Amino acid sequence: MELPEASTSLEATASAAAAAAERPSEAAALRALVDRVRAGEVDAAREVRRLTRASSRHRRKLAAAVEPLVAMLRSAAPEAGEAALLALLNLAVRDERNKTKIVDAGALEPLLGYLQSSDLNLQEYATAALLTLSASSTNKPIMSASGAIPLLVKVLKEGNPQAKNDSVMALYNLSTVTDNLQAILSVQPIPPLVELLKGGKRSSKTADKCCALLESLLGFDQARVALTCEEGGVLTIVEVLEEGSLQGKEHAVGALLTMCESDRNKYRNVILNEGVIPGLLELTVHGTPKSRVKAHVLLDLLRNSPYSRSKVQADTLENIVSNIALQIDGEDRGGKAKKMLAEMVKVSMEQSLRHLQRRASYA
């Protein structure tokens, strides 16, 4: 009975020894691969891309290839540039260190050059690379300072479908730095954002990011004016509120709320005319916690009265409660309290009835 155990133990030891012997040879092979990239071998760049496609371990071990790949990225030969670009893209995916290392190595200048390429495939790959790099908080201010924003908006207007999707996600990443919002606004992003929303699924990730970006941009009057001047602009956001993902709905109601809060008199009817009420009512029940709060606030702003229902209700009930406190010190305090509580219920019911009547008038 002991022989099989001994045999298994010997096999395990032999396997571990073989693996240990293999590690130095693998490390040597990877170093040789990096040397081949330094020598400008296009096939070596393609091998880096292959190895790093789904392996975080290889992304770490091949980080030394970043600088020679950036050098290859500057090559006049399109084949070499494309191979380097795709290898760098894979190296950057889910690896924060490689993201910053790529930017530090000077990759932004040639990548921005590819954004302006007449080769739409290269433009698409460069946009994907910039999207990946823009996920790094360290890279965001460097990318905006490099002039990436106007070129990404240009791709949003003129690129192929995948490049447009990636560009809006990259712009959203950059917009999380508040100082970048004005830079994005300065290149008129609203028309292409609305166009992208119109042409895609309202529940897509692209729609989520479009609405998230719009929610931030609509904090500025320039963006609000641009959206209302765009045919179907507000309606498209309302459609995301109705048909989008939970995240998309949250950003859509946030965008509309930002508009209405900025100038209720100017934007109330604009929003109401697009039939927003049914979607808002549904959101108060089925939305995310943030969506439900925003939907309630926006519904109050869209009422005929400039005063919030919740505020009026709170004031009325507060007065009743105060009266109860003053009057129950004497005799028959229980009867008086019951009477006042009944009045509270009556007021609440009357307000609820008015609330339902207003809802019916919106329909």
Side-chain angles (χ1 to χ4, degrees):
M1 296 296 293
E2 293 181 351
L3 287 176
E5 291 180 11
S7 175
T8 302
S9 177
L10 287 171
E11 287 175 4
T13 303
S15 176
E22 197 174 315
R23 285 189 204 108
S25 63
E26 182 197 30
L30 294 177
R31 283 196 299 271
L33 179 59
V34 173
D35 288 340
R36 288 172 55 206
V37 175
R38 284 198 182 94
E41 288 188 32
V42 175
D43 285 342
R46 292 184 180 128
E47 180 65 7
V48 172
R49 179 196 178 194
R50 185 188 70 79
L51 290 172
T52 55
R53 182 177 288 117
S55 170
S56 57
R57 182 172 65 88
H58 278 116
R59 290 184 199 118
R60 290 193 304 272
K61 290 182 176 297
L62 285 167
V66 166
E67 290 187 3
L69 282 169
V70 171
M72 190 182 290
L73 196 61
R74 300 174 184 276
S75 170
E79 187 181 51
E82 179 178 324
L85 200 166
L86 293 172
L88 287 167
L89 176 56
N90 281 359
L91 280 165
V93 172
R94 299 188 186 90
D95 193 304
E96 186 71 15
R97 286 185 180 180
N98 281 350
K99 284 181 175 71
T100 56
K101 189 178 180 73
I102 289 167
V103 169
D104 289 344
L108 287 181
E109 183 185 347
L111 284 175
L112 295 182
Y114 285 122
L115 276 192
Q116 302 170 78
S117 173
S118 57
D119 184 328
L120 292 183
N121 285 330
L122 283 177
Q123 185 186 84
E124 178 187 325
Y125 302 151
T127 307
L130 288 169
L131 165 59
T132 303
L133 296 174
S134 69
S136 163
S137 57
T138 303
N139 288 342
K140 289 175 186 179
I142 302 171
M143 291 178 69
S144 56
S146 73
I149 287 173
L151 294 175
L152 284 168
V153 173
K154 190 170 188 292
V155 172
L156 179 60
K157 294 174 182 177
E158 303 171 4
N160 67 27
Q162 185 58 54
K164 287 182 178 182
N165 291 343
D166 288 346
S167 67
V168 77
M169 292 186 186
L171 286 166
Y172 167 73
N173 285 345
L174 295 176
S175 77
T176 59
V177 176
T178 306
D179 291 345
N180 287 342
L181 288 171
Q182 284 284 13
I184 296 171
L185 267 178
S186 70
V187 282
Q188 289 79 49
I190 302 298
L193 283 172
V194 171
E195 193 64 30
L196 190 61
L197 270 177
K198 285 181 179 178
K201 290 184 178 180
R202 304 296 186 265
S203 58
S204 67
K205 288 184 179 179
T206 300
D208 293 352
K209 294 304 182 185
C210 275
C211 284
L213 181 54
L214 284 167
E215 183 178 7
S216 296
L217 293 174
L218 289 170
F220 297 86
D221 185 61
Q222 179 184 341
R224 295 191 291 270
V225 171
L227 182 69
T228 53
C229 289
E230 195 67 23
E231 185 177 356
V234 176
L235 174 60
T236 306
I237 296 177
V238 170
E239 289 173 347
V240 176
L241 185 147
E242 295 174 337
E243 306 166 22
S245 68
L246 285 174
Q247 203 64 39
K249 290 178 179 182
E250 184 178 305
H251 290 304
V253 70
L256 296 172
L257 178 59
T258 297
M259 289 182 69
C260 204
E261 284 183 325
S262 71
D263 191 333
R264 179 183 180 275
N265 293 331
K266 185 174 183 178
Y267 294 114
R268 174 181 173 273
N269 285 335
V270 171
I271 296 169
L272 278 175
N273 289 342
E274 302 301 350
V276 72
I277 298 301
L280 284 176
L281 293 176
E282 182 181 353
L283 210 54
T284 61
V285 179
H286 298 299
T288 65
K290 285 183 180 179
S291 294
R292 292 198 293 270
V293 171
K294 291 177 181 179
H296 277 295
V297 174
L298 183 54
L299 279 167
D300 282 338
L301 286 171
L302 294 176
R303 294 172 188 280
N304 288 325
S305 168
Y307 300 103
S308 158
R309 178 187 67 85
S310 58
K311 182 178 178 181
V312 172
Q313 184 182 47
D315 287 345
T316 304
L317 297 180
E318 184 179 351
N319 289 335
I320 294 173
V321 172
S322 296
N323 287 335
I324 290 174
L326 289 172
Q327 295 180 37
I328 62 174
D329 289 337
E331 294 181 2
D332 193 23
R333 70 180 69 182
K336 290 179 179 178
K338 286 179 182 179
K339 182 179 177 181
M340 296 307 296
L341 287 172
E343 185 177 346
M344 181 186 292
V345 171
K346 180 182 176 183
V347 170
S348 178
M349 289 178 68
E350 288 174 350
Q351 289 180 337
S352 295
L353 179 60
R354 286 197 297 272
H355 180 43
L356 290 172
Q357 288 171 338
R358 289 193 186 102
R359 283 187 183 180
S361 71
Y362 290 148

